[in-house]
Amino acid sequence: MSIHKSARIPTRTSIERFRRNAIESQVSIPESEWEYLVPHLVECRFGKNDYLISAGDVADNFYFILEGLARFFYSTEDGKEFNKHFAVENGFAGSFYSLVLGAPCGFFVQALEETNTLVLPNQLLRELYERHPCWERLGRRNAENLVLQKEAREKEFLLDSLETRYRRFLKEYPGLVDRIPQYHIASFLGVTNVALSRIRRKINQG
Amino acid sequence: MSIHKSARIPTRTSIERFRRNAIESQVSIPESEWEYLVPHLVECRFGKNDYLISAGDVADNFYFILEGLARFFYSTEDGKEFNKHFAVENGFAGSFYSLVLGAPCGFFVQALEETNTLVLPNQLLRELYERHPCWERLGRRNAENLVLQKEAREKEFLLDSLETRYRRFLKEYPGLVDRIPQYHIASFLGVTNVALSRIRRKINQG
């Protein structure tokens, strides 16, 4: 695949960063399982505006983000874009739809900065699930955390004012407000740029 | 707990219904694991309007619904209610927030009909995860399926017209439209009863 032209053997630091993610999920990975995994890992760098995943394709990989950031977005037939998620350092980018159902992904994932990743092929993940229960546990914990995130977002759409949702965005993605254009945030919150500007002015004056 | 006053030993049919759920998730449970689980299972019946879970409490159990249906809803301080989910036969009712974080649940789960369930104590689920990888796998599959559901709902909130969302509700919950009052559906879709009536008339005339 062309996106893997830039594939490189990962540094020791990169692998340690990824390992910390498992530790933070309170999953203990036996040394022998790490030793199996590590030779399968490659680093892949994406340029600004490159696509990690394209809608309509069955996504082949999950990516663990070492540096940079990516937005997940839907694109409609009339060319409108709707941001659904941002993944930053130590987060994952991938499609559960493709991983679980082997079906085409419905959204795009695009690097908004030069982004360095560890590549986790879906095929490798499926193989790990068969190898050892520690990987099942890591998969379960990551899926559960995603459920909690999506549940919080569902609650916001049902209940919360734009101001509450914007304040939560600032808390959930610290520093991101300075790294991406405001229209990407407005799209994530499902409002116009004008409505978001009004709220920002209100917050800054308060 | 008072809700377990009506706890009874489950019938063979109930246990088989629950077992089919695992089979449909393509998880193979060894016979010895079923034999361990079954004596831990009880059936619990809830009357119409009874609460399976109350917001503010740490939920103790997941419930597998044998018969009946439940709505999940948020209640705001000024007394407004927002439906987030309906669980029907062969579905689960519970709080991942309480299961994963041991923290109070943010929503209510209420039976809308007389509802018969198999009780799955969170404590038992945690114990099963330690016992055998088949339970980790079942947990992972169920969490992944919930991610796919929540992702579809997120997409709807961002992109879809009320008509599209109502048509999806009819497809996702076949027959439910005849079992619950329309205002519960309007609340699930995040619109007023009047707006939903307009769409229903339009669809019926089309």
Side-chain angles (χ1 to χ4, degrees):
Chain A
M1 284 169 41
S2 58
I3 58 160
H4 287 164
K5 271 184 203 158
S6 72
R8 296 169 310 169
I9 294 176
T11 65
R12 206 179 165 75
T13 317
S14 304
I15 288 172
E16 275 311 305
R17 291 266 301 281
F18 180 57
R19 187 165 187 162
R20 266 210 301 280
N21 177 272
I23 293 167
E24 278 163 17
S25 302
Q26 296 180 295
V27 177
S28 150
I29 312 288
E31 207 48 46
S32 56
E33 288 300 306
W34 270 113
E35 281 168 15
Y36 175 82
L37 176 66
V38 167
H40 287 84
L41 294 178
V42 295
E43 258 182 57
C44 182
R45 190 173 285 276
F46 295 90
K48 185 173 173 173
N49 298 327
D50 281 357
Y51 287 90
L52 286 68
I53 293 174
S54 288
D57 293 349
V58 179
D60 294 316
N61 305 307
F62 265 70
Y63 298 94
F64 177 74
I65 298 185
L66 296 161
E67 288 163 291
L69 80 95
R71 70 173 177 129
F72 296 44
F73 69 97
Y74 294 106
S75 174
T76 59
E77 280 178 18
D78 57 351
K80 284 192 194 126
E81 296 182 355
F82 297 85
N83 290 333
K84 76 186 226 85
H85 182 68
F86 299 98
V88 295
E89 296 81 5
N90 302 318
F92 289 92
S95 163
F96 268 81
Y97 209 77
S98 290
L99 174 65
V100 175
L101 303 177
C105 179
F107 51 81
F108 295 85
V109 180
Q110 183 186 32
L112 290 183
E113 299 173 352
E114 185 160 306
T115 296
N116 195 23
T117 67
L118 276 185
V119 183
L120 301 162
N122 290 350
Q123 191 51 44
L124 176 64
L125 294 176
R126 291 188 197 104
E127 189 196 326
L128 293 175
Y129 292 147
E130 298 296 331
R131 272 183 67 85
H132 195 280
C134 70
W135 305 115
E136 286 282 0
R137 178 161 298 184
L138 194 59
R140 175 172 65 82
R141 290 273 162 82
N142 281 326
E144 285 173 351
N145 285 335
L146 202 53
V147 168
L148 298 184
Q149 265 182 40
K150 292 292 158 205
E151 206 166 53
R153 189 150 157 84
E154 176 187 58
K155 183 180 178 184
E156 285 187 350
F157 277 122
L158 284 172
L159 269 75
D160 290 343
S161 69
L162 175 57
E163 181 173 340
T164 303
R165 284 153 61 200
Y166 179 60
R167 287 183 185 276
R168 187 169 174 271
F169 168 83
L170 295 176
K171 209 173 144 187
E172 187 180 343
Y173 295 111
L176 202 55
V177 71
D178 302 318
R179 287 167 70 180
I180 61 177
Q182 178 180 303
Y183 61 82
H184 276 325
I185 304 173
S187 168
F188 175 78
L189 298 172
V191 297
T192 62
N193 218 347
V194 175
L196 181 55
S197 292
R198 207 155 36 216
I199 291 293
R200 289 180 72 159
R201 270 199 305 277
K202 191 184 151 196
I203 289 176
N204 290 336
Q205 285 164 2
Chain B
M1 284 169 44
S2 59
I3 57 159
H4 286 162
K5 272 185 204 157
S6 73
R8 296 168 312 167
I9 293 174
T11 65
R12 207 181 165 75
T13 317
S14 303
I15 288 171
E16 273 313 304
R17 290 266 302 281
F18 179 56
R19 188 165 186 159
R20 266 210 301 281
N21 177 272
I23 293 167
E24 278 163 17
S25 301
Q26 298 181 293
V27 177
S28 151
I29 312 287
E31 206 50 43
S32 55
E33 288 301 306
W34 270 113
E35 282 168 16
Y36 175 82
L37 175 66
V38 167
H40 286 86
L41 293 177
V42 295
E43 258 182 59
C44 183
R45 190 174 287 276
F46 295 90
K48 184 172 172 172
N49 298 327
D50 281 357
Y51 287 90
L52 286 71
I53 292 173
S54 289
D57 293 348
V58 178
D60 294 316
N61 304 306
F62 264 70
Y63 298 94
F64 178 74
I65 297 184
L66 297 162
E67 289 161 291
L69 81 94
R71 71 172 175 126
F72 296 42
F73 69 97
Y74 294 105
S75 175
T76 59
E77 278 176 21
D78 56 350
K80 283 189 195 133
E81 297 182 356
F82 297 86
N83 290 332
K84 78 186 226 85
H85 182 67
F86 299 99
V88 296
E89 295 81 5
N90 302 319
F92 289 92
S95 163
F96 268 79
Y97 208 77
S98 290
L99 175 65
V100 174
L101 303 178
C105 178
F107 51 79
F108 295 86
V109 180
Q110 181 186 34
L112 291 183
E113 300 173 351
E114 186 160 305
T115 296
N116 195 22
T117 68
L118 275 185
V119 183
L120 301 162
N122 290 350
Q123 191 50 43
L124 176 64
L125 295 174
R126 292 189 197 105
E127 189 195 328
L128 292 175
Y129 293 147
E130 298 296 331
R131 270 184 67 88
H132 194 281
C134 70
W135 304 114
E136 286 282 0
R137 178 160 297 183
L138 194 60
R140 175 172 65 82
R141 290 274 162 80
N142 280 326
E144 285 173 351
N145 285 334
L146 203 53
V147 168
L148 298 183
Q149 267 182 40
K150 292 293 156 204
E151 208 166 53
R153 189 151 159 81
E154 177 186 58
K155 183 179 178 183
E156 286 187 350
F157 277 121
L158 284 172
L159 268 75
D160 291 342
S161 69
L162 175 57
E163 181 173 341
T164 304
R165 285 153 60 199
Y166 180 60
R167 286 183 187 276
R168 186 167 177 272
F169 169 83
L170 295 175
K171 210 173 144 186
E172 187 180 343
Y173 295 111
L176 201 57
V177 69
D178 302 318
R179 287 166 72 179
I180 60 176
Q182 178 180 304
Y183 61 83
H184 276 326
I185 305 174
S187 167
F188 175 78
L189 298 172
V191 298
T192 62
N193 217 347
V194 174
L196 181 55
S197 292
R198 207 156 37 218
I199 291 293
R200 290 180 71 159
R201 270 198 306 277
K202 190 184 154 198
I203 289 177
N204 289 335
Q205 284 164 4

